[in-house]
Amino acid sequence: MPDSGGSRAQQEHITTTGTGTASGGAPLPHPPAPGTAATRRTGLLVTMVLGGLTALPPLSMDMYLPALPEVTDSLHAPAATVQLTLTACLAGMALGQLVVGPMSDRWGRRRPLLLGMVVYVLATAICALAPTAELLIGFRLLQGLAGAAGIVIARAVVRDLYDGVEMARFFSTLMLISGVAPIIAPLIGGQVLRITDWRGIFVVLTVVGILLTLVVWKWLHETLPPAQRHTGGVGDALRTMRGLLADRVFTGYMVAGGLAFAVLFAYISASPFVVQEIYGASPQTFSLLFGLNSIGLIAVGQINGKVLVGRISLDKVLGFGLSVIVLSAVALLLMTTGVFGEVGLVPIAAGLFVLMSAMGLAMPNTNAQALMRTKHAAGSASALLGTSSFLIGAIASPLVGIAGERTAVPMAVVQVVCALAAVACFLGLCRPWQRQGREAGGL
């Protein structure tokens, strides 16, 4: 495990490539000496840029959530069809990562990222003009395919710069920054709907995409030196991914993290209808509740990074987080099926708050534990982690609306099943007690 000096040295790598030039060929300044103010500014800048990249996907989905009922009316489409706009975006992000991840291992992080951001901006602008639900679904798929670049490359850059506990802490820091997006996105979406319709939300997202593209172009330089890049083609990339999937422990963390994400996305997909249609809340009230849940996720994520990491085993923290997710999902299922009688919005909101907060223990630790095993192919590993999460989430999304807009039971059922499956994968594939025993014995 590297010491703090090693982490700083890796962090300075953000400003140089193995040849001392930016990916575009322009000379870059020499990295600042460790411990200087310039180093700290560089670290803060890297954190903000990577945070922006990881915040873009929740911003793209969550700003749109308050508008879902309006979209169903505007495009004269059923709720299940409109929910496919979320599914399409998730599926695009999943498939796009499989392409962009290996590309970044071969050509570096910067060029695939900039290409993806440009396409994202164009696809988002076209979404604002979509005349039918079918076309909106298609352009949301393209938006997801392009937006995948930011997700997968941000994780790969973290793996380029950090290792061990430092990497787990950085993921928690990214959760703080990217977690601001779920808080402000529905609030912004709700306010945009006050002055325009749902198309205006995509206009705002287009502007955000343009600004982030400019920030990446100006300030995020290459982190993968040419000497460490893979030179093979598609066959080599597939062999690398096959080797990663053959690692039982990596696969366990990957699938467990994907199933935990499915629990989260079942909430994201169903909550606009549950809160607004079933319990009669306004889009603004829904946005406030969504923001409170995101605050819980951020707060617990910071407790994970600042207090727990380095003091308690990551597996123990992850196991506790998954247990809380299971218990809160079961409580929601009991409430929505009427076991406790007629319940109002407050008990449901409390259960969702606990569930969302526990994600702050599950999500950063599954990523960190999986990536610790894959420094040789961080881009491909990041692609597999992201793809599994978004594909499983995309499958869960339409299931929550299978019984219509007037019941929350399908949401709770999906959450319980996915949470239990995540625990099963963690225990059955990762087998943390075995690895802890080997580490204690010096093996």
Side-chain angles (χ1 to χ4, degrees), residues 270-441:
S271 59
F273 298 98
V274 171
V275 174
Q276 295 179 79
E277 300 294 335
I278 298 177
Y279 293 98
S282 67
Q284 289 70 38
T285 300
F286 163 74
S287 300
L288 289 174
L289 290 176
F290 197 93
L292 287 175
N293 290 338
S294 299
I295 290 174
L297 186 152
I298 292 172
V300 173
Q302 290 312 291
I303 293 172
N304 175 71
K306 305 297 184 183
V307 179
L308 302 179
V309 170
R311 293 181 174 86
I312 302 176
S313 156
L314 294 183
D315 281 329
K316 289 182 180 178
V317 177
L318 174 57
F320 178 76
L322 291 175
S323 299
V324 173
I325 291 172
V326 169
L327 291 176
S328 57
V330 170
L332 285 168
L333 179 60
L334 294 177
M335 286 188 285
T336 56
T337 53
V339 171
F340 301 125
E342 191 73 24
V343 298
L345 178 59
V346 173
I348 296 293
L352 291 172
F353 177 81
V354 174
L355 184 146
M356 283 281 286
S357 298
M359 292 293 171
L361 300 178
M363 293 167 62
N365 290 328
T366 51
N367 283 333
Q369 289 286 67
L371 287 172
M372 279 181 197
R373 306 175 65 85
T374 60
K375 185 171 179 60
H376 62 287
S380 296
S382 178
L384 288 173
L385 288 171
T387 296
S388 63
S389 294
F390 284 105
L391 278 181
I392 297 173
I395 293 171
S397 173
L399 295 179
V400 301
I402 199 169
E405 305 172 23
R406 299 298 177 180
T407 174
V409 173
M411 177 192 73
V413 170
V414 170
Q415 289 174 331
V416 169
V417 171
C418 291
L420 290 174
V423 172
C425 287
F426 174 59
L427 296 177
L429 296 178
C430 302
R431 302 174 191 173
W433 63 89
Q434 292 182 352
R435 289 180 295 110
Q436 288 173 359
R438 287 196 294 270
E439 291 169 3

Side-chain angles (χ1 to χ4, degrees), residues 13 15-23 28 222-229:
H13 207 149
T15 60
T16 61
T17 65
T19 59
T21 62
S23 60
L28 289 172
E222 188 57 67
T223 62
L224 185 66
Q228 296 181 16
R229 297 177 189 174

